[in-house]
């Protein structure tokens, strides 16, 4: 097996005196799709920021494979109206050559909006532009931070279909933070439940055909966890404070 | 043109030329309040310079860099950036005013530092202003692309192998230099206005960041000339007159844009 793309060992992160993350051991390999789920404030975004190097961990280590290329799709792009930036120019800032940009733009359906201003785009258009931006330069790892947040249901489905297509073409690993249960089930090799620490991880069971699925869909993280088949027996005798969110969840 | 007029025109235009493009980044990076804080706290630098008998420029530069460093460090550890900036801006201003009054035995005209006193600018100041302005513009041109990328989204820039922190430090240094050269021309209270009003005006006529930066420099220079002219005609203080002229240009541009549409 080749070396993992990114590995963390006993990673901890403090913010304003509060432990946001503790004892996180994680790795992702080439071509893998990993989804991280967890309640709000569980440190999902902070964890991604540690992985890409935007936040320095307070303890433990993050090692990235030498020369790794990471494409990052943020939750949102908070571009001020005062920032004049066309779609074409934005993609150009990501580098790559013109031919690559043209192909990607066509693939993601951005042909018609090349001259539009970023600040004027709809949510769905913006997410496709951000995805294209992240894919320029053929990343080894695509990182998505709740990238479909704020899109309506059909748009979310379409967006994730796009990601799957892109992955088939490029073969890059994908790490996403999501609370979209459908995607957790259908596309991921591994699901990790994070709540300050890794509560559990495992392969998602394929249950999308089951009628129970429809009932569970949309019930938040609690429902999703019921679907996971835990690979290892999860031992809760950690030597640290087990700080679950108010929802609590059933490790079963 | 007589020598006096040439001197103050060069001083005002020099500051405005650099303030325009820097102001664009202040808007893009949403750092208006930060700019306010650094320039208000510059008054502390005036006190510092008077106490140690340093040139005002140097005192303000050191103080502006110091304040910026403190804020940037605190900011990365705290959530309440707005509160922090508000506290720093106004306490900096108040502390500066108190310190200047305490330090100077002779009565110093505080207004000179609050709203500027371009009539007191000498040739050394003009040279300082143009060197400072050239440094600011040079820094922007040199790091243009990484600065743009890091202004879009920090995480995205990091993932793409950029170092947004380094670009942030460079930009802050440029801002500190501008504050230091601008204090004699428009004063601590109005520096931010000179940064953001021409930039906001330029936004109305620009579809690319480059065009906006160039237009902001031109608009700023035009406001400086109009303001100087107005202040001589009406016998009004020069710094505020330049800002009023900049506001006038913004209003005209807004109306023109509506009419065109």
């Amino acid at each position: 097996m080749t070396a993992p793309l990114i590995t963390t060992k006993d990673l901890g992160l403090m913010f304003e005196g509060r432990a946001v993350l503790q004892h996180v051991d994680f790795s992702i390999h080439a071509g893998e799709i990993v989804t991280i789920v967890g309640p709000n404030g569980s440190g999902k975004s902070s964890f991604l920021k540690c992985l890409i190097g935007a936040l320095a961990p307070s303890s433990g280590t993050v090692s990235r494979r030498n020369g790794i290329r990471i494409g990052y799709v943020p939750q949102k792009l908070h571009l001020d109206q005062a920032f004049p930036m066309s779609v074409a120019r934005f993609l150009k800032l990501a580098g790559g050559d013109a031919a690559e940009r043209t192909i990607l733009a066509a693939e993601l359906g951005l042909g018609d909006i090349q001259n539009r201003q970023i600040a004027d785009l709809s949510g769905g258009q913006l997410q496709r532009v951000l995805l294209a931006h992240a894919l320029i330069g053929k990343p080894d790892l695509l990182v998505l931070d709740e990238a479909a947040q704020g899109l309506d249901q059909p748009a979310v489905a379409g967006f994730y279909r796009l990601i799957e297509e892109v992955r088939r073409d490029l073969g890059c690993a994908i790490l996403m933070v999501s609370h979209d249960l459908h995607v957790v089930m259908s596309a991921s090799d591994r699901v990790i439940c994070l709540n300050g620490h890794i509560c559990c991880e495992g392969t998602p069971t394929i249950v999308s055909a089951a009628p129970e699925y429809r009932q569970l869909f949309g019930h938040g993280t609690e429902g999703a966890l019921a679907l996971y088949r835990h690979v290892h027996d999860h031992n809760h005798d950690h030597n640290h404070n087990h700080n679950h969110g108010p929802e609590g969840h059933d490790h079963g | 043109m007589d020598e006096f007029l040439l001197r103050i025109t060069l001083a005002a235009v020099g500051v405005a030329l650099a303030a325009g493009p820097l102001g664009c980044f202040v808007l893009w990076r949403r750092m208006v309040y930060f700019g306010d804080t650094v320039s208000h706290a510059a008054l502390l630098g005036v006190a510092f310079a008077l106490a140690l008998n340093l040139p005002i420029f140097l005192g303000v530069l050191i103080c502006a860099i110091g304040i910026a460093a403190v804020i940037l460090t605190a900011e990365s550890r705290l959530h309440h950036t707005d509160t922090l900036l508000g506290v720093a801006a106004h306490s900096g201003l108040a502390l500066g005013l108190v310190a200047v009054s305490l330090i100077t035995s002779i009565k110093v005209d505080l207004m000179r530092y609050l709203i500027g006193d371009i009539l007191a600018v000498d040739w050394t100041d003009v040279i300082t202003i143009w060197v400072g302005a050239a440094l600011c513009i040079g820094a922007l041109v040199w790091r243009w692309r990484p600065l743009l990328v890091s202004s879009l989204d920090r995480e995205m820039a990091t993932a793409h192998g950029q170092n947004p922190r380094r670009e942030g430090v460079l930009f802050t240094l440029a801002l500190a230099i501008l504050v230091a050269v601008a204090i004699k021309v428009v004063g601590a209270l109005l520096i931010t206005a000179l940064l953001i009003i021409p930039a906001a005006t330029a936004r109305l006529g620009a579809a690319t960041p480059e065009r906006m930066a160039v237009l902001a420099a031109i608009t700023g220079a035009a406001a400086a000339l109009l303001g100087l002219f107005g202040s001589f005609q009406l016998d009004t203080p020069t710094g505020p007159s330049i800002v009023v002229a900049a506001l006038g240009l913004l209003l005209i541009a807004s109306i023109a844009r509506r009419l065109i549409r």
Side-chain angles (χ1 to χ4, degrees):
Chain A
M1 198 165 195
T2 51
L5 295 172
I6 301 184
T7 308
T8 71
K9 284 215 166 67
D10 199 29
L11 178 130
L13 181 72
M14 302 285 290
F15 197 72
E16 288 189 333
R18 192 169 63 87
V20 178
L21 295 169
Q22 41 190 345
H23 309 298
V24 180
D25 292 310
F26 166 87
S27 64
I28 183 166
H29 290 81
E32 239 187 333
I33 303 185
V34 178
T35 300
I36 299 177
V37 296
N40 282 336
S42 59
K44 295 173 304 220
S45 288
S46 303
F47 181 59
L48 290 191
K49 283 173 191 169
C50 287
L51 290 182
I52 64 172
L55 272 180
S58 316
S59 60
T61 55
V62 179
S63 25
R64 282 175 286 274
R65 201 178 72 186
N66 261 347
I68 187 177
R69 285 165 174 272
I70 301 176
Y72 178 78
V73 183
Q75 246 174 43
K76 258 189 190 154
L77 187 68
H78 300 277
L79 206 60
D80 201 279
Q81 276 287 345
F83 210 150
M85 177 68 61
S86 69
V87 170
R89 183 65 202 282
F90 178 69
L91 295 180
K92 209 172 161 194
L93 280 175
D97 53 47
E100 186 192 358
R101 286 196 298 272
T102 313
I103 293 169
L104 261 174
E107 217 173 320
L108 297 181
L110 306 176
D112 307 337
I113 58 169
Q114 291 277 336
N115 294 322
R116 297 268 300 276
Q117 289 284 311
I118 294 275
D120 298 338
L121 297 180
S122 74
Q125 289 169 329
L126 180 60
Q127 284 321 112
R128 278 183 287 142
V129 169
L130 290 175
L131 181 60
H133 185 275
L135 289 171
I136 287 168
K138 298 196 171 47
D140 305 300
L141 173 64
L142 182 63
V143 178
L144 301 110
D145 186 0
E146 305 231 25
Q149 209 189 34
L151 302 188
D152 57 25
Q153 206 58 47
V156 172
F159 185 65
Y160 282 123
R161 249 196 323 275
L162 257 181
I163 294 174
E164 278 185 57
E165 276 170 31
V166 158
R167 203 192 90 88
R168 265 204 307 277
D169 296 347
L170 297 178
C172 56
I174 294 181
L175 175 63
M176 62 172 106
V177 160
S178 172
H179 51 241
D180 192 314
L181 311 183
H182 178 71
V183 179
V184 169
M185 291 196 303
S186 68
S188 312
D189 296 317
R190 230 168 0 121
V191 176
I192 293 176
C193 171
L194 190 74
N195 194 7
H197 61 285
I198 294 181
C199 304
C200 50
E201 57 182 306
T203 332
T205 317
I206 316 277
V207 287
S208 48
E212 291 87 5
Y213 163 76
R214 300 238 167 260
Q215 269 184 292
L216 291 166
F217 187 78
H219 284 198
T221 331
E222 279 178 86
L225 289 170
L227 303 173
Y228 302 159
R229 189 178 56 218
H230 289 224
V231 168
H232 54 267
D233 261 342
H234 193 62
N235 184 354
H236 262 196
D237 292 330
H238 298 303
N239 52 0
H240 56 81
N241 200 3
H242 213 75
N243 201 5
H244 277 296
E247 301 97 328
H249 29 237
D250 187 350
H251 295 281
Chain B
M1 200 183 210
D2 78 7
E3 186 260 336
F4 165 74
L5 268 182
L6 179 68
R7 199 170 64 214
I8 60 171
T9 306
L10 280 176
V13 170
V15 168
L17 280 179
L22 268 178
C24 292
F25 278 98
V26 170
L27 292 186
W28 299 339
R29 299 171 78 96
R30 292 198 178 85
M31 288 173 80
V32 174
Y33 217 175
F34 178 81
D36 240 3
T37 306
V38 173
S39 49
H40 284 189
L43 213 63
L44 263 180
V46 172
F48 181 56
L50 290 174
L52 298 181
N53 215 5
L54 289 172
I56 297 290
F57 164 77
L58 203 59
V60 173
L61 181 65
I62 293 169
C63 200
I65 292 175
I67 295 284
V70 168
I71 294 170
L72 289 179
T73 315
E75 206 177 36
S76 61
R77 290 172 199 190
L78 295 172
H79 276 309
H80 318 287
T81 311
D82 232 33
T83 314
L84 172 77
L85 288 176
V87 170
H90 298 105
S91 20
L93 191 61
L95 275 172
L97 288 169
V98 169
V100 171
S101 313
L102 281 178
I103 284 159
T104 49
S105 42
I106 46 161
K107 197 167 160 54
V108 172
D109 185 6
L110 282 172
M111 283 304 262
R112 153 186 294 194
Y113 301 110
L114 287 174
I115 62 167
D117 182 10
I118 201 168
L119 306 184
V121 164
D122 59 23
W123 278 109
T124 317
D125 294 326
V126 173
I127 292 166
T128 313
I129 286 170
W130 278 81
V131 171
L135 278 174
C136 290
I137 294 173
L140 293 189
V141 172
W142 173 48
R143 303 296 297 171
W144 183 259
R145 191 169 166 276
L147 268 169
L148 270 187
V149 172
S150 72
S151 305
L152 290 168
D153 184 90
R154 279 181 75 93
E155 281 75 38
M156 229 162 56
T158 311
H160 269 261
Q162 309 270 359
N163 186 346
R165 200 175 167 77
R166 190 181 56 204
E167 309 309 333
V169 168
L170 179 88
F171 174 69
T172 308
L173 278 177
L175 202 60
I177 292 176
L178 184 91
V179 168
V181 299
I183 195 160
K184 279 201 174 173
V185 177
V186 287
L189 290 180
L190 295 173
I191 293 172
T192 320
L194 200 58
L195 281 165
I196 62 175
I197 300 178
T201 311
R203 173 64 183 103
L204 297 170
T208 69
E210 290 76 16
R211 245 177 258 166
M212 179 164 157
V214 171
L215 262 180
I218 295 171
T219 312
L225 293 173
L226 279 170
L228 275 182
F229 179 75
S231 90
F232 282 121
Q233 293 297 311
L234 305 169
D235 195 22
T236 49
T238 314
S241 306
I242 292 175
V243 174
V244 169
L247 175 67
L249 291 176
L250 173 61
L251 292 177
I252 292 169
S254 309
I255 293 167
R257 195 180 147 97
R258 273 183 194 227
L259 290 181
I260 291 167
R261 280 193 164 182

PDB file of all heavy atoms in Angstrom, chain A residues 35-38 44 144-146 160 176-181 183-184:
ATOM      1  N   THR A  35     -16.104  10.456   4.330  1.00  0.00           N
ATOM      2  CA  THR A  35     -17.040  11.496   4.762  1.00  0.00           C
ATOM      3  C   THR A  35     -16.956  11.649   6.273  1.00  0.00           C
ATOM      4  O   THR A  35     -16.909  10.656   6.998  1.00  0.00           O
ATOM      5  CB  THR A  35     -18.482  11.127   4.377  1.00  0.00           C
ATOM      6  OG1 THR A  35     -18.553  10.994   2.957  1.00  0.00           O
ATOM      7  CG2 THR A  35     -19.451  12.207   4.821  1.00  0.00           C
ATOM      8  N   ILE A  36     -16.910  12.885   6.699  1.00  0.00           N
ATOM      9  CA  ILE A  36     -16.923  13.167   8.128  1.00  0.00           C
ATOM     10  C   ILE A  36     -18.280  13.738   8.492  1.00  0.00           C
ATOM     11  O   ILE A  36     -18.741  14.691   7.871  1.00  0.00           O
ATOM     12  CB  ILE A  36     -15.824  14.178   8.501  1.00  0.00           C
ATOM     13  CG1 ILE A  36     -14.451  13.616   8.146  1.00  0.00           C
ATOM     14  CG2 ILE A  36     -15.902  14.528   9.981  1.00  0.00           C
ATOM     15  CD1 ILE A  36     -13.321  14.574   8.415  1.00  0.00           C
ATOM     16  N   VAL A  37     -18.945  13.118   9.462  1.00  0.00           N
ATOM     17  CA  VAL A  37     -20.214  13.668   9.935  1.00  0.00           C
ATOM     18  C   VAL A  37     -20.071  14.018  11.404  1.00  0.00           C
ATOM     19  O   VAL A  37     -19.195  13.520  12.100  1.00  0.00           O
ATOM     20  CB  VAL A  37     -21.386  12.682   9.757  1.00  0.00           C
ATOM     21  CG1 VAL A  37     -21.644  12.397   8.297  1.00  0.00           C
ATOM     22  CG2 VAL A  37     -21.111  11.397  10.512  1.00  0.00           C
ATOM     23  N   GLY A  38     -20.935  14.874  11.859  1.00  0.00           N
ATOM     24  CA  GLY A  38     -20.891  15.263  13.266  1.00  0.00           C
ATOM     25  C   GLY A  38     -21.796  16.450  13.480  1.00  0.00           C
ATOM     26  O   GLY A  38     -22.104  17.166  12.530  1.00  0.00           O
ATOM     27  N   LYS A  44     -15.631  19.771  12.859  1.00  0.00           N
ATOM     28  CA  LYS A  44     -15.416  19.225  11.519  1.00  0.00           C
ATOM     29  C   LYS A  44     -14.609  20.181  10.644  1.00  0.00           C
ATOM     30  O   LYS A  44     -13.600  19.788  10.042  1.00  0.00           O
ATOM     31  CB  LYS A  44     -16.752  18.947  10.820  1.00  0.00           C
ATOM     32  CG  LYS A  44     -17.593  17.871  11.490  1.00  0.00           C
ATOM     33  CD  LYS A  44     -18.964  17.786  10.826  1.00  0.00           C
ATOM     34  CE  LYS A  44     -19.650  19.112  10.861  1.00  0.00           C
ATOM     35  NZ  LYS A  44     -21.045  19.186  11.117  1.00  0.00           N
ATOM     36  N   LEU A 144     -13.893  18.948   0.636  1.00  0.00           N
ATOM     37  CA  LEU A 144     -15.125  19.745   0.547  1.00  0.00           C
ATOM     38  C   LEU A 144     -15.693  19.964   1.939  1.00  0.00           C
ATOM     39  O   LEU A 144     -15.991  19.013   2.659  1.00  0.00           O
ATOM     40  CB  LEU A 144     -16.170  19.028  -0.312  1.00  0.00           C
ATOM     41  CG  LEU A 144     -15.768  18.724  -1.755  1.00  0.00           C
ATOM     42  CD1 LEU A 144     -15.580  17.235  -1.935  1.00  0.00           C
ATOM     43  CD2 LEU A 144     -16.811  19.230  -2.725  1.00  0.00           C
ATOM     44  N   ASP A 145     -15.856  21.239   2.293  1.00  0.00           N
ATOM     45  CA  ASP A 145     -16.366  21.578   3.621  1.00  0.00           C
ATOM     46  C   ASP A 145     -17.848  21.935   3.516  1.00  0.00           C
ATOM     47  O   ASP A 145     -18.191  23.080   3.261  1.00  0.00           O
ATOM     48  CB  ASP A 145     -15.569  22.747   4.194  1.00  0.00           C
ATOM     49  CG  ASP A 145     -15.949  23.048   5.634  1.00  0.00           C
ATOM     50  OD1 ASP A 145     -16.835  22.343   6.167  1.00  0.00           O
ATOM     51  OD2 ASP A 145     -15.366  23.972   6.212  1.00  0.00           O
ATOM     52  N   GLU A 146     -18.719  20.967   3.727  1.00  0.00           N
ATOM     53  CA  GLU A 146     -20.171  21.172   3.582  1.00  0.00           C
ATOM     54  C   GLU A 146     -20.476  21.980   2.337  1.00  0.00           C
ATOM     55  O   GLU A 146     -21.187  22.975   2.381  1.00  0.00           O
ATOM     56  CB  GLU A 146     -20.741  21.909   4.806  1.00  0.00           C
ATOM     57  CG  GLU A 146     -20.425  21.213   6.101  1.00  0.00           C
ATOM     58  CD  GLU A 146     -21.636  20.982   6.962  1.00  0.00           C
ATOM     59  OE1 GLU A 146     -22.753  20.921   6.424  1.00  0.00           O
ATOM     60  OE2 GLU A 146     -21.467  20.848   8.183  1.00  0.00           O
ATOM     61  N   TYR A 160     -23.519  16.546  -6.080  1.00  0.00           N
ATOM     62  CA  TYR A 160     -22.779  15.339  -5.694  1.00  0.00           C
ATOM     63  C   TYR A 160     -22.585  14.384  -6.864  1.00  0.00           C
ATOM     64  O   TYR A 160     -21.571  13.688  -6.934  1.00  0.00           O
ATOM     65  CB  TYR A 160     -23.471  14.647  -4.513  1.00  0.00           C
ATOM     66  CG  TYR A 160     -23.179  15.354  -3.216  1.00  0.00           C
ATOM     67  CD1 TYR A 160     -24.188  15.846  -2.409  1.00  0.00           C
ATOM     68  CD2 TYR A 160     -21.856  15.558  -2.814  1.00  0.00           C
ATOM     69  CE1 TYR A 160     -23.899  16.521  -1.229  1.00  0.00           C
ATOM     70  CE2 TYR A 160     -21.569  16.223  -1.639  1.00  0.00           C
ATOM     71  CZ  TYR A 160     -22.598  16.698  -0.851  1.00  0.00           C
ATOM     72  OH  TYR A 160     -22.302  17.359   0.304  1.00  0.00           O
ATOM     73  N   MET A 176     -14.877  14.742   2.528  1.00  0.00           N
ATOM     74  CA  MET A 176     -15.909  15.765   2.659  1.00  0.00           C
ATOM     75  C   MET A 176     -16.562  15.742   4.029  1.00  0.00           C
ATOM     76  O   MET A 176     -16.659  14.702   4.681  1.00  0.00           O
ATOM     77  CB  MET A 176     -16.955  15.645   1.568  1.00  0.00           C
ATOM     78  CG  MET A 176     -17.747  14.383   1.528  1.00  0.00           C
ATOM     79  SD  MET A 176     -19.074  14.585   0.307  1.00  0.00           S
ATOM     80  CE  MET A 176     -18.478  13.584  -1.025  1.00  0.00           C
ATOM     81  N   VAL A 177     -16.933  16.941   4.422  1.00  0.00           N
ATOM     82  CA  VAL A 177     -17.730  17.077   5.625  1.00  0.00           C
ATOM     83  C   VAL A 177     -19.156  17.188   5.144  1.00  0.00           C
ATOM     84  O   VAL A 177     -19.441  17.942   4.224  1.00  0.00           O
ATOM     85  CB  VAL A 177     -17.311  18.348   6.388  1.00  0.00           C
ATOM     86  CG1 VAL A 177     -18.401  18.763   7.339  1.00  0.00           C
ATOM     87  CG2 VAL A 177     -16.023  18.106   7.128  1.00  0.00           C
ATOM     88  N   SER A 178     -20.038  16.408   5.728  1.00  0.00           N
ATOM     89  CA  SER A 178     -21.392  16.405   5.203  1.00  0.00           C
ATOM     90  C   SER A 178     -22.379  16.018   6.280  1.00  0.00           C
ATOM     91  O   SER A 178     -22.057  15.297   7.210  1.00  0.00           O
ATOM     92  CB  SER A 178     -21.472  15.411   4.046  1.00  0.00           C
ATOM     93  OG  SER A 178     -22.808  15.248   3.636  1.00  0.00           O
ATOM     94  N   HIS A 179     -23.581  16.538   6.139  1.00  0.00           N
ATOM     95  CA  HIS A 179     -24.639  15.956   6.945  1.00  0.00           C
ATOM     96  C   HIS A 179     -25.727  15.438   6.018  1.00  0.00           C
ATOM     97  O   HIS A 179     -26.852  15.208   6.414  1.00  0.00           O
ATOM     98  CB  HIS A 179     -25.182  16.946   7.976  1.00  0.00           C
ATOM     99  CG  HIS A 179     -25.549  18.262   7.376  1.00  0.00           C
ATOM    100  ND1 HIS A 179     -24.962  19.432   7.731  1.00  0.00           N
ATOM    101  CD2 HIS A 179     -26.425  18.559   6.400  1.00  0.00           C
ATOM    102  CE1 HIS A 179     -25.475  20.411   7.017  1.00  0.00           C
ATOM    103  NE2 HIS A 179     -26.360  19.912   6.203  1.00  0.00           N
ATOM    104  N   ASP A 180     -25.334  15.314   4.742  1.00  0.00           N
ATOM    105  CA  ASP A 180     -26.268  14.838   3.750  1.00  0.00           C
ATOM    106  C   ASP A 180     -26.220  13.316   3.727  1.00  0.00           C
ATOM    107  O   ASP A 180     -25.306  12.712   3.193  1.00  0.00           O
ATOM    108  CB  ASP A 180     -25.885  15.410   2.390  1.00  0.00           C
ATOM    109  CG  ASP A 180     -26.974  15.185   1.376  1.00  0.00           C
ATOM    110  OD1 ASP A 180     -27.482  14.057   1.330  1.00  0.00           O
ATOM    111  OD2 ASP A 180     -27.310  16.134   0.653  1.00  0.00           O
ATOM    112  N   LEU A 181     -27.205  12.684   4.322  1.00  0.00           N
ATOM    113  CA  LEU A 181     -27.132  11.249   4.585  1.00  0.00           C
ATOM    114  C   LEU A 181     -27.086  10.413   3.328  1.00  0.00           C
ATOM    115  O   LEU A 181     -26.450   9.383   3.272  1.00  0.00           O
ATOM    116  CB  LEU A 181     -28.329  10.831   5.437  1.00  0.00           C
ATOM    117  CG  LEU A 181     -28.536  11.718   6.648  1.00  0.00           C
ATOM    118  CD1 LEU A 181     -29.676  11.202   7.476  1.00  0.00           C
ATOM    119  CD2 LEU A 181     -27.270  11.790   7.457  1.00  0.00           C
ATOM    120  N   VAL A 183     -25.644  11.028   0.575  1.00  0.00           N
ATOM    121  CA  VAL A 183     -24.286  10.995   0.050  1.00  0.00           C
ATOM    122  C   VAL A 183     -23.391  10.149   0.946  1.00  0.00           C
ATOM    123  O   VAL A 183     -22.554   9.402   0.484  1.00  0.00           O
ATOM    124  CB  VAL A 183     -23.731  12.427  -0.064  1.00  0.00           C
ATOM    125  CG1 VAL A 183     -22.320  12.381  -0.582  1.00  0.00           C
ATOM    126  CG2 VAL A 183     -24.613  13.232  -0.970  1.00  0.00           C
ATOM    127  N   VAL A 184     -23.603  10.256   2.211  1.00  0.00           N
ATOM    128  CA  VAL A 184     -22.824   9.453   3.148  1.00  0.00           C
ATOM    129  C   VAL A 184     -22.946   7.987   2.767  1.00  0.00           C
ATOM    130  O   VAL A 184     -21.987   7.247   2.733  1.00  0.00           O
ATOM    131  CB  VAL A 184     -23.339   9.652   4.596  1.00  0.00           C
ATOM    132  CG1 VAL A 184     -22.709   8.636   5.524  1.00  0.00           C
ATOM    133  CG2 VAL A 184     -23.022  11.059   5.047  1.00  0.00           C
TER     134      VAL A 184
END
